[in-house]
Amino acid sequence: MTGILPVAALWFALQGRALPENHSFFESMCYYYCYNPHELRPVCRNVLFLSTLYMVQNYAFVKALEFSSAGIDTAISQSASALVYLFSVFILNEEVLLAKVVAVALCVIGVTLFATANDSGGGEQSAHDKALGYGMALFSTTSTAVYRVCFKVLVGDKKLAATVVFA
């Protein structure tokens, strides 16, 4: 996050907006993200939670690659859009639309077909290792979906600059 703050400052400078005086750089950034600059605890808590969730899902996917086929792991990982839509229906109260259901299904089917077309099955791994790898990939996929829905709940529909800093 710290490396992105200068990018956000440049974004504001290009838009002709100045940072408020007598505030730290971080407080100034939060000011522009529609947060109260004096209430940084919720912002830091959200950033810490989302960053941890993002790191966990990436770590689980990388570890899954050690135990199983990259093609199958990719297919499992790319099915996150289906879980995001499912979680969005229940958590964000999105309505179920046939067009969205068909689009998500086609994406998952397409990625699965593409990823497994020339899959060798994972090489020398045992059935136990493959099952562990596929389980970790499924955990990574579920974590990704939870991350995306939590991001929407915690950050909401903020401007591009806020998304750059928190995504």
Side-chain angles (χ1 to χ4, degrees):
M1 182 175 141
T2 304
I4 300 299
L5 290 176
V7 173
L10 179 63
W11 172 261
F12 293 123
L14 292 173
Q15 290 182 336
R17 294 192 279 177
L19 297 174
E21 295 183 24
N22 301 325
H23 290 287
S24 73
F25 185 72
F26 185 71
E27 289 174 332
S28 300
M29 292 293 102
C30 292
Y31 171 81
Y32 282 114
Y33 303 142
C34 303
Y35 290 106
N36 184 348
H38 303 291
E39 297 289 334
L40 293 179
R41 283 187 185 152
V43 174
C44 293
R45 184 181 60 238
N46 291 346
V47 167
L48 181 64
F49 172 71
L50 290 172
S51 298
T52 303
L53 193 55
Y54 188 76
M55 182 186 66
V56 164
Q57 63 97 11
N58 277 317
Y59 181 77
F61 183 74
V62 169
K63 292 306 279 184
L65 292 174
E66 291 181 19
F67 296 105
S68 55
S69 163
I72 300 293
D73 289 346
T74 300
I76 293 171
S77 175
Q78 294 304 316
S79 66
S81 60
L83 290 175
V84 169
Y85 185 61
L86 183 68
F87 293 160
S88 294
V89 167
F90 291 109
I91 297 172
L92 301 175
N93 296 322
E94 290 216 7
E95 59 182 291
V96 178
L97 299 174
L98 181 61
K100 286 185 179 181
V101 171
V102 170
V104 168
L106 288 174
C107 287
V108 171
I109 290 168
V111 167
T112 302
L113 290 174
F114 187 82
T116 60
N118 291 322
D119 187 42
S120 62
E124 301 293 323
Q125 289 98 356
S126 67
H128 179 266
D129 284 349
K130 287 182 185 179
L132 179 62
Y134 298 154
M136 291 180 84
L138 186 60
F139 174 75
S140 171
T141 301
T142 305
S143 300
T144 299
V146 169
Y147 167 79
R148 291 177 184 172
V149 172
C150 286
F151 186 90
K152 177 75 172 181
V153 169
L154 295 175
V155 178
D157 291 324
K158 300 296 180 198
K159 297 178 181 176
L160 174 64
T163 303
V164 166
V165 170
F166 288 106

